[in-house]
Structures are given as C-alpha cells and as structure tokens.
Amino acid sequence: MITPMASESHLPLPPTAPAVPLPRVPGPKLQPFTLTGHAEIDFLEFVGAGEDRDFKVWKVNIDGRGPYALKMFLFRTWQTLSKTSGKYAEARLAKPEFYVDYLTPFSCECRAYGRLKQDEREDLAVKSHGYLLLTQEQEVEVTLAMGVDDEQLDEPDSLLDEPDSHLNGNNFWCRSEQHRGHPIYAIVKEFIPSGLGHFSQPQVSQLWSEVEELHKLGILVRDLHVRNYMNGKLVDFSRAWTMYHPCLDINPDSLDWLRVEDPQELLEAISSWQENTPLDSPPDIPPDLELCAGWYGGEGEKGADPSQYDWRKWEEDLVAADTFIEQDLYRSADDQEESD
C-alpha cells in the first residue's frame, strides 16, 4: 500500500549558489542569468500581468544594464497542476515536484527557451537571457511598489519572521504552505516597448510558419493569443509543452486534438487583431494555417508533430534520461490503482 501524497507537502527548495540550469529533470533547461542566480535589480516600471494570474512583468535594469523585461511567476500548487494540465498525461507522475518541473509557467518557459537555445532558433521568440531568483528584500520592494500594504506581504514566515503563520495561497504571489521558503522565480527577457504593437500586417504571413518551426522543435505553444505577441514575436511560453513532456507522450489520437488548438488560436488571434486594426486590405493568411485550424478528427492537414522531436540527442547521459522516463517519472499501475 502506498502512502498518499501529503496535501501540504513541501516542495524541494531551489539550489543554492552556484545556480544550476532549471528545471532539474531530463530535457531542455534554462541557464541562470548570473552564476549565483541573483543580481542587483532596479525596478523601473510595472509593465503588466498575466490574465490567468501566472506572472507579473516589470521593466528593470539589472547590475546596471538594461532595460530588460523581468517576468516574475506566481506560485501554483502541485495539486492544481495535476488537475489542470496534468490531466492530459496518461499516467500520474510519481512525485509532486515532477508536476512543478513540467507544468508550472516558470518551468514551461525554461524548457521552451532551453530548446530554442539548443537548436539555435532564438529568433522564433523574444530573446530570453536566463532566470533569476529574487531575494527576500527584492520581493518586498517590488511587492510594495505594486501597492500592496506591508501587512499583506506574501510570506510572513520568512519576510517578517512569523514562523507560525499559515500560507494558504490567498496572497499576492499565491504562495501555499508547500512553497514555504521558496523565492520568486523570474526570467530575464529582451524588453520590447509596447508602442511597437503586437504584430503588423506584413508579419501576419510569417506567424504560422514560425509556429510550425516551434512544433518541429518539439514545442506545443498552447497559448497563441494577440497579447502574447510583441512586434511579431512570441513573448509567452508559460503554457508550452516541450518534448520530452508527459503531456506530449500520449495516445496520438488524443494529442491530435491538442495540437489543433495552436492553429485555431492563432487564426483567432489574427482575426481579433484585424478587427481592432485599421487596414487597407485583409492580411495574408497562409492556406496551411486555415487547413490545420479546420482539422476536426478526419483526414486533413495537421502540421508538424512536436512529440516526434528527437529530444534524446541533447542528453549527456542518455541512459539516465531513459531510466528516469521509464522508471522514475510515473507512478506504477499498482500504485495508481491503490490510490484511486
């Protein structure tokens, strides 16, 4: 009989200096922005927040250089991750931290940007420079700068030395008890002024070909909305699945229905942009995009399959990577039956 996962189980803390690439599972990873994963940050201007409460973005200078866009991620419990994106995996994952490594917005972005770096295709999205972990002082500074009262700071156990407090997720950064002691995770990106817009009419014809290139690289974006583009480049991979990924290693028929969402969302994004943009003529929409978006389970165009990407070619220890996938990542069938 297995022991059920504790509802408030604490997730492993991030590594101490020197920082290591994240996430700590086989597959693509993002390097730290500095050797320690920490830096001096000058918060210049609040840029915006994710509509799904995934992140907050600030224009910043870092170690006297910039400006950069600093994307800071809110916390998600592993239970929520297992019930949302995790439901697409064909078997339950063996440990809570595996849901974090594959499904949090931060990990999704780390894996996607890591793949672009591996394949030297960083031109397919706004450039990422690496990740940072905010210090407690930096977290307090940016939280107060966003108008939060100092009595409502997110983690009083570490920020205000009140160890008996209980973290329930109903706070500014959505920390739960399982995140106790964890810093804010952030990704440093190229800063693009908002005045450049989401994309222009000449860029529309290239959007689908670039998404298809992402699919060929094993990246299913899963969030192709107008707001996720700046100056014709994707700025958001917080929902992306990058091979190897447990939600891509599934029944091909099930995956087909998930794959079609990318072209459908992109077509809707172009339509939405067109409705709100004065144009002399309709944008040039690639026929392949319309064909892929119109696939409904029958014969027809589906585009590149991200699950077919050869992710193993980048693994330094292929035996260890395969062992992790085959023996460690998923719970056994007996464990799953006993837990139901």
Side-chain angles (χ1 to χ4, degrees):
M1 181 175 181
I2 67 168
T3 301
M5 296 181 186
S7 61
E8 294 292 355
S9 58
H10 286 242
L11 298 169
L13 290 169
T16 56
V20 299
L22 293 178
R24 290 172 287 181
V25 290
K29 303 169 177 60
L30 186 64
Q31 297 285 341
F33 183 75
T34 65
L35 291 177
T36 63
H38 297 288
E40 293 293 327
I41 303 173
D42 183 12
F43 296 95
L44 303 176
E45 179 185 355
F46 177 62
V47 175
E51 293 187 5
D52 297 320
R53 298 188 71 206
D54 285 340
F55 57 83
K56 303 179 188 298
V57 182
W58 273 71
K59 177 182 178 181
V60 300
N61 285 334
I62 301 176
D63 289 339
R65 304 189 305 272
Y68 299 101
L70 186 69
K71 187 172 185 177
M72 297 167 284
F73 294 85
L74 280 66
F75 292 95
R76 290 289 178 267
T77 66
W78 70 264
Q79 294 94 332
T80 297
L81 297 168
S82 70
K83 293 175 182 177
T84 52
S85 296
K87 69 183 179 183
Y88 295 107
E90 294 193 336
R92 296 180 185 177
L93 306 189
K95 297 180 180 181
E97 53 261 40
F98 294 159
Y99 287 100
V100 174
D101 289 332
Y102 285 103
L103 296 171
T104 61
F106 172 75
S107 293
C108 288
E109 290 227 334
C110 285
R111 294 172 61 79
Y113 277 115
R115 175 58 44 74
L116 296 181
K117 183 71 172 180
Q118 286 176 332
D119 276 285
E120 299 182 348
R121 289 307 313 269
E122 293 177 279
D123 60 296
L124 293 174
V126 65
K127 186 176 178 60
S128 167
H129 299 285
Y131 76 83
L132 287 174
L133 307 177
L134 268 63
T135 65
Q136 293 179 6
E137 294 76 13
Q138 288 167 339
E139 179 179 339
V140 171
E141 177 185 356
V142 71
T143 304
L144 295 178
M146 284 186 275
V148 176
D149 189 276
D150 58 2
E151 294 182 357
Q152 298 176 314
L153 290 173
D154 205 28
E155 193 178 7
D157 62 294
S158 64
L159 298 178
L160 301 179
D161 297 324
E162 297 179 7
D164 295 331
S165 63
H166 181 76
L167 301 170
N168 59 12
N170 296 322
N171 41 54
F172 191 72
W173 295 99
C174 299
R175 267 196 186 86
S176 293
E177 192 64 25
Q178 61 191 246
H179 307 119
R180 183 179 291 275
H182 284 248
I184 299 296
Y185 296 73
I187 292 180
V188 182
K189 300 186 182 185
E190 174 189 359
F191 179 77
I192 299 179
S194 59
L196 294 177
H198 298 294
F199 40 77
S200 63
Q201 185 162 354
Q203 292 168 336
V204 169
S205 62
Q206 302 298 318
L207 297 179
W208 176 238
S209 64
E210 293 188 350
V211 170
E212 273 285 78
E213 288 300 311
L214 291 171
H215 290 174
K216 292 175 183 177
L217 295 176
I219 302 171
L220 190 65
V221 185
R222 302 185 63 247
D223 199 13
L224 289 167
H225 300 295
V226 173
R227 65 182 180 274
N228 291 341
Y229 279 91
M230 291 294 294
N231 196 29
K233 292 296 182 183
L234 269 170
V235 298
D236 188 353
F237 286 109
S238 60
R239 290 285 187 273
W241 296 339
T242 303
M243 196 65 183
Y244 179 85
H245 197 286
C247 296
L248 290 176
D249 188 12
I250 61 176
N251 181 286
D253 292 336
S254 300
L255 182 57
D256 285 343
W257 288 105
L258 293 169
R259 286 168 54 195
V260 75
E261 292 178 1
D262 269 10
Q264 288 176 346
E265 286 186 350
L266 181 57
L267 200 58
E268 291 173 3
I270 294 172
S271 177
S272 175
W273 168 82
Q274 183 179 356
E275 291 174 359
N276 294 282
T277 305
L279 299 172
D280 294 330
S281 60
D284 182 15
I285 299 176
D288 288 350
L289 170 57
E290 295 181 317
L291 287 172
C292 290
W295 183 87
Y296 285 100
E299 296 295 327
E301 183 65 42
K302 291 182 289 186
D305 184 350
S307 70
Q308 297 305 303
Y309 180 85
D310 181 16
W311 63 277
R312 289 179 171 86
K313 66 183 179 181
W314 299 109
E315 294 299 312
E316 294 182 1
D317 190 337
L318 186 55
V319 173
D322 284 337
T323 299
F324 175 80
I325 303 300
E326 295 168 5
Q327 300 181 19
D328 301 328
L329 176 58
Y330 299 100
R331 300 173 72 177
S332 69
D334 291 340
D335 285 350
Q336 292 194 70
E337 289 178 2
E338 292 187 26
S339 65
D340 289 340

Coordinates of all heavy atoms in Angstrom, one line a residue, residues 197-199 226-227 268-279 283:
G197 N 3.5 47.5 -30.8 CA 2.3 46.7 -31.1 C 2.5 45.2 -31.1 O 3.7 44.7 -30.8
H198 N 1.5 44.5 -31.3 CA 1.5 43.0 -31.2 C 2.2 42.4 -32.5 O 3.1 41.6 -32.4 CB 0.2 42.4 -31.0 CG -0.5 42.9 -29.7 ND1 0.0 42.5 -28.5 CD2 -1.5 43.7 -29.4 CE1 -0.7 43.1 -27.5 NE2 -1.6 43.8 -28.1
F199 N 1.6 42.8 -33.6 CA 2.3 42.4 -34.9 C 1.7 43.3 -36.0 O 0.7 44.0 -35.8 CB 2.1 40.9 -35.3 CG 0.8 40.3 -35.0 CD1 -0.3 40.5 -35.8 CD2 0.7 39.4 -33.9 CE1 -1.5 40.0 -35.5 CE2 -0.6 38.8 -33.7 CZ -1.7 39.1 -34.5
V226 N -3.3 37.2 -29.1 CA -2.7 38.5 -29.5 C -1.8 39.1 -28.5 O -0.7 39.6 -28.7 CB -3.9 39.5 -29.9 CG1 -3.2 40.9 -30.2 CG2 -4.6 39.1 -31.1
R227 N -2.3 39.1 -27.2 CA -1.5 39.7 -26.1 C -0.2 39.0 -25.9 O 0.7 39.5 -25.2 CB -2.3 39.7 -24.8 CG -2.6 38.3 -24.3 CD -3.4 38.3 -23.1 NE -3.7 36.9 -22.6 CZ -4.7 36.2 -23.0 NH1 -5.5 36.6 -23.9 NH2 -4.9 35.0 -22.5
E268 N -7.6 32.8 -34.6 CA -8.5 33.6 -33.8 C -7.7 34.9 -33.4 O -8.3 36.0 -33.4 CB -9.0 32.9 -32.6 CG -10.0 31.8 -32.9 CD -10.3 31.0 -31.6 OE1 -9.8 31.3 -30.5 OE2 -11.1 30.0 -31.8
A269 N -6.4 34.8 -33.1 CA -5.6 35.9 -32.7 C -5.5 36.9 -33.9 O -5.6 38.1 -33.7 CB -4.3 35.5 -32.3
I270 N -5.3 36.4 -35.1 CA -5.2 37.2 -36.3 C -6.5 37.9 -36.5 O -6.6 39.1 -36.9 CB -4.7 36.4 -37.5 CG1 -3.3 35.9 -37.3 CG2 -4.8 37.3 -38.8 CD1 -2.8 34.9 -38.3
S271 N -7.6 37.2 -36.4 CA -8.9 37.8 -36.6 C -9.2 38.9 -35.6 O -9.7 39.9 -36.0 CB -10.0 36.7 -36.5 OG -11.3 37.2 -36.6
S272 N -8.9 38.6 -34.3 CA -9.1 39.6 -33.3 C -8.3 40.9 -33.6 O -8.7 42.0 -33.4 CB -8.7 39.1 -31.9 OG -8.8 40.0 -30.9
W273 N -7.0 40.7 -34.0 CA -6.1 41.8 -34.3 C -6.7 42.6 -35.5 O -6.7 43.8 -35.5 CB -4.7 41.3 -34.6 CG -3.8 42.3 -35.2 CD1 -3.1 43.3 -34.6 CD2 -3.5 42.4 -36.6 NE1 -2.4 44.0 -35.5 CE2 -2.6 43.5 -36.8 CE3 -4.0 41.8 -37.8 CZ2 -2.2 43.9 -38.0 CZ3 -3.5 42.2 -39.0 CH2 -2.6 43.2 -39.1
Q274 N -7.2 41.9 -36.5 CA -7.7 42.5 -37.7 C -8.9 43.4 -37.3 O -9.1 44.5 -37.9 CB -8.1 41.4 -38.7 CG -8.6 42.0 -40.0 CD -9.0 40.9 -41.0 OE1 -8.8 39.7 -40.7 NE2 -9.5 41.2 -42.1
E275 N -9.8 42.9 -36.4 CA -11.0 43.7 -36.0 C -10.6 45.0 -35.3 O -11.4 45.9 -35.4 CB -11.9 42.8 -35.1 CG -12.5 41.6 -35.8 CD -13.3 40.7 -34.9 OE1 -13.2 41.0 -33.6 OE2 -13.8 39.7 -35.3
N276 N -9.5 45.0 -34.7 CA -9.1 46.2 -33.9 C -8.0 47.0 -34.6 O -7.5 47.9 -33.9 CB -8.7 45.8 -32.5 CG -9.8 45.2 -31.7 OD1 -10.7 45.9 -31.2 ND2 -9.8 43.8 -31.6
T277 N -7.7 46.7 -35.8 CA -6.6 47.4 -36.5 C -7.1 47.9 -37.9 O -7.6 47.2 -38.7 CB -5.4 46.5 -36.8 OG1 -5.0 45.9 -35.5 CG2 -4.2 47.2 -37.4
P278 N -7.0 49.2 -38.1 CA -7.4 49.8 -39.4 C -6.4 49.3 -40.5 O -5.2 49.4 -40.4 CB -7.3 51.3 -39.2 CG -6.3 51.5 -38.1 CD -6.5 50.3 -37.2
L279 N -7.0 48.6 -41.5 CA -6.2 48.0 -42.6 C -6.8 48.4 -44.0 O -8.0 48.6 -44.2 CB -6.2 46.5 -42.5 CG -5.7 45.8 -41.3 CD1 -5.9 44.3 -41.3 CD2 -4.2 46.1 -41.1
P283 N -5.3 40.9 -44.2 CA -4.0 40.3 -44.1 C -3.9 39.0 -44.9 O -4.9 38.3 -45.1 CB -3.9 40.0 -42.5 CG -5.3 39.9 -42.1 CD -6.1 40.8 -42.9

